[in-house]
Amino acid sequence: MLLTIVSFVGFTALVLGISYYLTRKNDTTSQEGYFLAGRGLTGWVIAASLLLTNLSTEQMVGLNGQGYMFNMSGMGYEVGASLALIIVAFFFLPRYLKKGYATIPDFIGERYDATTKQIVNFLFLAGYVLILLPTVLYSGAIGMGGIFDIMGTFNIDYMTSIIIVVVAIGILGVIYSLAGGLRIMAVADTLNGIGLIIGGLMIPIFALFYVGGGDLLGGLNTIIDAHPEKFNAIGKAGDPVPFLTMFTGMFLVNLFYWGCNQTIIQRALAAKNLKEGQKGLLFAAIFKLFGPLYLIIPGIVAFHIFQDNPLQHGDMAYPMLVNKVLPFYLKGFFAAVLFGAILSSFNAALNSTSALFMLNIYKPYVKPDATDKQVVIAGKVVAIILAVFSMCVAPLIAKAPSGLFNYLQMVNGFYNVPIFTLIIFGMLNKTAPAWSAKITLFFFIIVYGLTQIPFAGKEMLPLLGWMSSIHFLHVMAILFVIAIAFMYLSGKFAPAQNTYDDAKDLHVVDTTPWNKAVVTSVAIVLCVFAVYVIFSKFGIAA
């Protein structure tokens, strides 16, 4: 245990030290320097930062928990992300960079009006503060607590261990975040990304060696022969992620997550130019194809290893597997890179939430004459307050029957697809008025909530009762179509007086596209198809 702790602390300190050294001379006192890294990020840095921001313990713990409890159908979130990133690279990012947007609500305000912008800004803030930040801390506590066996080491119960680790991660995360803004996070993400790729792939390899008694292929064959139904990428209707959702709500969720989610797209908004931004998005798309290897398969192997002594919580499968198969001399290193992923997601959410509050509320309404330095200082104070609040909320997250990751996706539905609807339609249509956008938001949120929250008498409303009985991702798609139709008709019969001009380039950065983007995208699409063909055979056979 001592060696594990020493190597963990050593690697974590090394990454932070190198990141601080490399960025110590960069501007972190201006708004653009702190929140957008001075718009100077390159493709590889953007790709690494995107992956690390995305790949936190809600992925490692949550998706492997689905693999443990169900099958490989959850890989739709990962593999589907590759297709979404292509669309973001060609459709969303050029439009954002032409206008030099710092936050997604900036587009909403310019396309619709200031009130709609503030409603969307509030939805983002509420989603990040009440859902994203606490979930990152909670899932991080599960992962780190399992690797270090906090419960056994200190002889404490499950909830106490969660609280201890949540507070520790929260405090370290704040220190890390305040050190230098987005740039130091992006550089640290690049370093941690190398470690996480190595560490993430180590787990299934060591796990299969464990099952096969030293024979990697023998272990794989054992798992496939014993549990062929687990390698079903198509899934069944009762699974958390049925295959058909790939073409309905999951497609919309992925497009929102990679193209409209402030925490994620902020990395691409900080690109040096469009060429580097597209490189970063497409490099990330390539790496997402390998996601099932370390985000689903370890959970399936854990199911085999622990089948005689089932785990109390499905979401404990991944940390328990790491503790079981990883040699003691590697545990500290893996814990450090996993901790880096946790910090990356937590700090990204803190930085983005702070940016949304400071740039869209504090600066324009609270203190319009605030200097850049005052905005950054106040933003750091807001980040500390948010972190403390998240530490209080995180332990209260209830265990969902379909696992942590699916729970996260379901509750995110209250704001992700509604906001995406406004953004995608606002880009494609220039006549829908601002009032139709407001009605769309409230309609979407209320009806979606009625389908997901149990209440008496729901069966008396046939349509609502039917929508409550189908998968929440299908519900999102149905409401999306209804909302799009409403906004189209609104624009046709009561068009907006002032139309949005998306063609004008403000030349904030160079918007020349990457000349290899098309070829790279075609190759990615073919790989996505191949991955599903391979695993669909298992699905049909099982």
Side-chain angles (χ1 to χ4, degrees):
M1 177 60 73
L2 180 60
L3 180 60
T4 299
I5 294 174
V6 170
S7 56
F8 164 73
V9 173
F11 187 83
T12 301
L14 178 65
V15 169
L16 181 57
I18 293 175
S19 302
Y20 178 76
Y21 177 80
L22 293 176
T23 61
R24 70 192 188 284
K25 295 181 180 180
N26 293 115
D27 171 31
T28 59
T29 59
S30 69
Q31 297 178 43
E32 195 165 274
Y34 186 76
F35 294 119
L36 287 174
R39 295 189 189 272
L41 298 186
T42 57
W44 283 110
V45 174
I46 292 169
S49 193
L50 283 171
L51 290 170
L52 262 290
T53 301
N54 165 247
L55 187 59
S56 187
T57 41
E58 71 264 21
Q59 309 286 119
M60 309 288 272
V61 170
L63 282 174
N64 277 299
Q66 283 194 0
Y68 176 88
M69 294 184 286
F70 300 97
N71 49 41
M72 287 198 69
S73 58
M75 79 179 205
Y77 283 112
E78 290 298 300
V79 179
S82 297
L83 300 178
L85 281 161
I86 293 173
I87 296 173
V88 173
F90 283 93
F91 183 78
F92 289 94
L93 187 61
R95 286 166 169 78
Y96 292 150
L97 294 184
K98 275 184 181 181
K99 300 293 185 178
Y101 293 132
T103 69
I104 297 303
D106 290 341
F107 165 77
I108 297 292
E110 192 170 340
R111 168 58 184 85
Y112 298 104
D113 62 12
T115 304
T116 309
K117 173 182 178 178
Q118 289 308 321
I119 294 172
V120 169
N121 196 65
F122 172 79
L123 290 174
F124 268 123
L125 289 172
Y128 291 166
V129 172
L130 298 176
I131 301 171
L132 179 59
L133 283 166
T135 303
V136 170
L137 287 178
Y138 177 72
S139 60
I142 293 176
M144 300 304 293
I147 292 174
F148 286 108
D149 190 20
I150 301 295
M151 294 169 61
T153 302
F154 297 101
N155 193 27
I156 55 179
D157 61 31
Y158 177 76
M159 187 52 66
T160 303
S161 70
I162 292 295
I163 293 172
I164 291 173
V165 183
V166 159
V167 172
I169 294 174
I171 292 173
L172 289 172
V174 169
I175 295 172
Y176 200 90
S177 176
L178 300 185
L182 183 63
R183 186 180 292 275
I184 192 172
M185 295 179 206
V187 173
D189 288 347
T190 304
L191 300 174
N192 276 317
I194 298 171
L196 192 62
I197 290 172
I198 297 172
L201 293 175
M202 280 195 315
I203 304 306
I205 291 173
F206 277 106
L208 291 174
F209 271 124
Y210 179 89
V211 172
D215 182 357
L216 179 68
L217 293 179
L220 179 60
N221 289 329
T222 297
I223 299 294
I224 293 175
D225 292 340
H227 314 287
E229 75 286 351
K230 285 283 187 180
F231 291 85
N232 180 0
I234 304 301
K236 302 181 291 294
D239 287 338
V241 190
F243 181 66
L244 287 179
T245 61
M246 281 281 293
F247 308 99
T248 60
M250 188 192 298
F251 182 65
L252 301 176
V253 167
N254 269 327
L255 282 176
F256 167 83
Y257 183 84
W258 295 101
C260 308
N261 184 352
Q262 181 69 31
T263 301
I264 293 294
I265 199 63
Q266 190 165 331
R267 272 79 182 124
L269 295 180
K272 184 178 181 180
N273 49 49
L274 178 58
K275 176 183 176 180
E276 294 300 321
Q278 289 182 328
K279 279 184 182 179
L281 291 168
L282 295 178
F283 290 161
I286 293 171
F287 283 111
K288 292 300 285 184
L289 292 170
F290 297 94
L293 294 178
Y294 51 87
L295 290 175
I296 308 286
I297 290 179
I300 296 174
V301 180
F303 176 82
H304 178 81
I305 292 175
F306 301 117
Q307 61 184 324
D308 295 330
N309 188 22
L311 300 176
Q312 181 182 359
H313 303 279
D315 288 324
M316 285 297 294
Y318 190 72
M320 292 299 289
L321 181 70
V322 171
N323 216 18
K324 182 81 171 178
V325 305
L326 202 63
F328 72 93
Y329 52 85
L330 290 175
K331 286 182 182 177
F333 162 73
F334 183 74
V337 295
L338 186 61
F339 185 68
I342 298 167
L343 287 182
S344 175
S345 293
F346 184 66
N347 293 338
L350 275 182
N351 188 273
S352 297
T353 308
S354 179
L356 288 168
F357 181 82
M358 299 309 299
L359 301 182
N360 293 330
I361 297 177
Y362 180 84
K363 176 69 173 176
Y365 298 109
V366 178
K367 195 170 184 179
D369 59 344
T371 63
D372 275 10
K373 185 175 181 180
Q374 289 173 327
V375 170
V376 170
I377 292 174
K380 292 180 178 182
V381 173
V382 169
I384 294 173
I385 295 172
L386 292 173
V388 172
F389 180 80
S390 301
M391 283 185 258
C392 296
V393 174
L396 304 178
I397 297 177
K399 185 176 75 70
S402 59
L404 176 66
F405 189 77
N406 225 49
Y407 163 79
L408 179 61
Q409 300 306 318
M410 187 274 287
V411 295
N412 277 339
F414 281 95
Y415 74 96
N416 56 15
V417 178
I419 293 175
F420 173 75
T421 304
L422 265 58
I423 293 172
I424 188 66
F425 194 75
M427 289 180 172
L428 295 173
N429 177 279
K430 304 300 184 295
T431 60
W435 60 263
S436 69
K438 299 180 185 67
I439 292 176
T440 294
L441 282 176
F442 289 114
F443 163 80
F444 206 122
I445 294 169
I446 291 171
V447 176
Y448 179 77
L450 291 175
T451 64
Q452 302 305 310
I453 300 173
F455 66 92
K458 186 185 294 187
E459 64 280 357
M460 297 176 65
L461 302 171
L463 180 59
L464 194 61
W466 172 74
M467 291 177 66
S468 301
S469 67
I470 64 177
H471 198 281
F472 72 88
L473 289 171
H474 290 319
V475 174
M476 288 181 186
I478 293 170
L479 294 177
F480 173 77
V481 172
I482 294 172
I484 290 293
F486 169 73
M487 293 187 71
Y488 173 77
L489 292 174
S490 300
K492 188 174 182 62
F493 294 105
Q497 297 300 312
N498 299 315
T499 56
Y500 171 68
D501 180 14
D502 64 348
K504 186 177 182 181
D505 190 340
L506 300 182
H507 302 290
V508 177
V509 297
D510 180 21
T511 53
T512 304
W514 183 31
N515 58 6
K516 295 182 176 60
V518 174
V519 174
T520 304
S521 300
V522 171
I524 293 169
V525 171
L526 292 175
C527 289
V528 169
F529 180 74
V531 168
Y532 263 97
V533 167
I534 292 171
F535 285 107
S536 67
K537 292 181 179 179
F538 287 109
I540 294 170

